[in-house]
Amino acid sequence: MPYEYFYNREPEQYVHYQMPSILFEDDNLRELSINAKFLYSVLLDRAKLSYKNGWLDDDGKVYIHYAQADLIKLLNCGRTKMSEYFNELDGDKGGVGLIERKQKVGIGKNDKIYVKNFAKPTNESISLLDTPQSPFDYFHNMEGLRFSHYQIPKMLFTDERIKDISNIAKMAYSFLLDRTALSYKNDWRDKNGRVYVLFPQKELQELLGCSIRTVKSALSELDINNGVGLIDRTKQGMHSPDMIYVLDYGTNRSANCSVNIGGANPEHREVQNLNIGGAKSEHREVQNLNIIIIIILILVILILIILIQSVRTPTFRKRKARAKSILIDRRTDLNTKK
């Protein structure tokens, strides 16, 4: 297994994107697709870097440049889908107004993107549905910006071994990671000292805005048995949620310890295949032996049937009668000579 369980280390120490929790709480924002929320979080992360580097326009508004090709690769989607996600956020395209784009000028130039401050509406009474104008203000100063957020590990988008899992699965992991931090603080541990969480699938469904089937698929992608190995689940009973161990993605440092889609790690799968495959192999050997014995018995029975049938044929009876007649004649000759 390439990842360790959380024991005495808080799951808040690694490089991550910050997804504002308001995106899942506000009535006007929670309808955004998961990918649009991911996109906003990535753009927000770049806006922080722009501010540090002094990328401000003449009005002091923070802006960013982000090549669409890089975003497409990061979110693992096509160009058309990326345009849809941008339109969900862009107020000028009928979106919620969390970004504003100034079209690129010249070949090879990227759009100038203003990431709006979700935490600072210009007018609390303005409804997103009542006005085409965005109720969100521009970022001018990002120092000391504090907000409730979900941590999305950047390695989920950059690690070659697991970046191809669905964005729903990545978000589910982030929710579980957030709940793990709470469990750590509340000292929710099993008898081995491992931090665990209880997260009903229905609750995940409501947060992710998807079907139960999609939630189950996302958890399977993350699972240690048939997924990438980022969570380990223990059944508790028919009416109780699984006990979920969120594994520490920051502990897998070995280049030789590879995680692939469809298996927690090669060694785990090899052991699993050895156990399951070995049992199947033995079962097949027993089956093959039984088949051979059955075939031999069938052949013996067929031979016996053929012999019995041959005994009952007229030709056989004639030969038998002739042989008997010859034997009688010989005995008669012997008696006559005597």
Side-chain angles (χ1 to χ4, degrees), residues 314-331:
T315 303
F316 179 81
R317 288 198 296 271
K318 287 180 180 178
R319 288 178 179 175
K320 185 178 179 181
R322 183 179 179 185
K324 187 176 180 180
S325 176
I326 293 171
L327 181 61
I328 293 171
D329 290 342
R330 286 182 180 177
R331 286 178 180 175

Side-chain angles (χ1 to χ4, degrees), residues 121-338:
T122 55
N123 188 336
E124 294 289 350
S125 64
I126 293 178
S127 169
L128 292 174
L129 301 177
D130 296 337
T131 175
Q133 302 298 321
S134 171
F136 302 104
D137 199 1
Y138 298 89
F139 279 111
H140 294 80
N141 187 334
M142 302 188 75
E143 288 184 351
L145 180 65
R146 295 289 183 270
F147 55 90
S148 175
H149 63 273
Y150 295 105
Q151 296 183 130
I152 309 171
K154 290 187 176 181
M155 57 84 69
L156 296 180
F157 297 89
T158 57
D159 194 306
E160 291 293 334
R161 298 161 296 182
I162 60 177
K163 69 177 186 179
D164 289 331
I165 63 174
S166 69
N167 288 336
I168 291 285
K170 293 172 184 175
M171 195 65 239
Y173 180 76
S174 301
F175 285 142
L176 293 170
L177 187 66
D178 181 77
R179 187 65 62 87
T180 300
L182 181 62
S183 292
Y184 175 85
K185 292 175 183 177
N186 293 333
D187 201 30
W188 279 27
R189 304 169 187 272
D190 64 10
K191 61 183 179 181
N192 296 316
R194 301 177 301 183
V195 179
Y196 67 89
V197 303
L198 300 177
F199 212 134
Q201 290 185 4
K202 184 67 176 178
E203 189 176 343
L204 268 175
Q205 177 194 10
E206 292 174 357
L207 281 170
L208 292 168
C210 61
S211 66
I212 283 290
R213 183 177 180 179
T214 302
V215 169
K216 290 180 178 179
S217 176
L219 292 175
S220 293
E221 287 185 71
L222 299 171
D223 197 82
I224 194 171
N225 292 318
N226 49 16
V228 295
L230 284 173
I231 65 172
D232 187 5
R233 292 180 288 175
T234 300
K235 298 279 185 187
Q236 290 200 102
M238 185 178 296
H239 301 293
S240 300
D242 293 346
M243 184 182 290
I244 304 176
Y245 298 93
V246 182
L247 277 65
D248 185 357
Y249 58 89
T251 58
N252 183 14
R253 304 300 183 192
S254 173
N256 296 324
C257 195
S258 177
V259 179
N260 298 308
I261 304 302
N265 71 56
E267 183 180 354
H268 177 74
R269 286 200 307 279
E270 284 173 10
V271 172
Q272 208 172 34
N273 291 337
L274 180 62
N275 294 333
I276 298 174
K280 288 182 178 179
S281 178
E282 292 176 4
H283 182 64
R284 283 196 301 271
E285 287 176 5
V286 172
Q287 276 187 328
N288 292 337
L289 181 60
N290 291 335
I291 291 171
I292 292 171
I293 293 172
I294 291 171
I295 291 172
I296 292 172
L297 288 174
I298 291 172
L299 289 173
V300 170
I301 292 171
L302 288 173
I303 292 171
L304 289 173
I305 291 172
I306 292 171
L307 289 173
I308 292 171
Q309 289 296 326
S310 66
V311 167
R312 293 178 178 177
T313 58
T315 303
F316 179 81
R317 288 198 296 271
K318 287 180 180 178
R319 288 178 179 175
K320 185 178 179 181
R322 183 179 179 185
K324 187 176 180 180
S325 176
I326 293 171
L327 181 61
I328 293 171
D329 290 342
R330 286 182 180 177
R331 286 178 180 175
T332 302
D333 290 341
L334 288 174
N335 292 332
T336 301
K337 289 179 179 180
K338 288 180 180 181

Side-chain angles (χ1 to χ4, degrees), residues 19 23-24 30-43 71-72 74-78 81-86 88-89 152 157 165-171 208:
M19 181 176 288
L23 298 180
F24 297 90
R30 65 184 178 187
E31 297 302 322
L32 289 169
S33 69
I34 285 293
N35 288 316
K37 292 173 183 177
F38 269 123
L39 176 59
Y40 180 76
S41 301
V42 171
L43 298 177
L71 286 169
I72 288 172
L74 190 66
L75 268 68
N76 194 23
C77 65
K81 285 293 183 182
M82 181 57 64
S83 296
E84 291 177 6
Y85 306 147
F86 263 111
E88 285 188 64
L89 300 173
I152 309 171
F157 297 89
I165 63 174
S166 69
N167 288 336
I168 291 285
K170 293 172 184 175
M171 195 65 239
L208 292 168

Side-chain angles (χ1 to χ4, degrees), residues 8-30:
N8 297 311
R9 184 192 299 106
E10 286 192 85
E12 298 179 350
Q13 56 183 327
Y14 303 112
V15 179
H16 57 269
Y17 295 111
Q18 293 180 321
M19 181 176 288
S21 57
I22 192 175
L23 298 180
F24 297 90
E25 299 164 357
D26 187 278
D27 290 339
N28 298 302
L29 299 178
R30 65 184 178 187

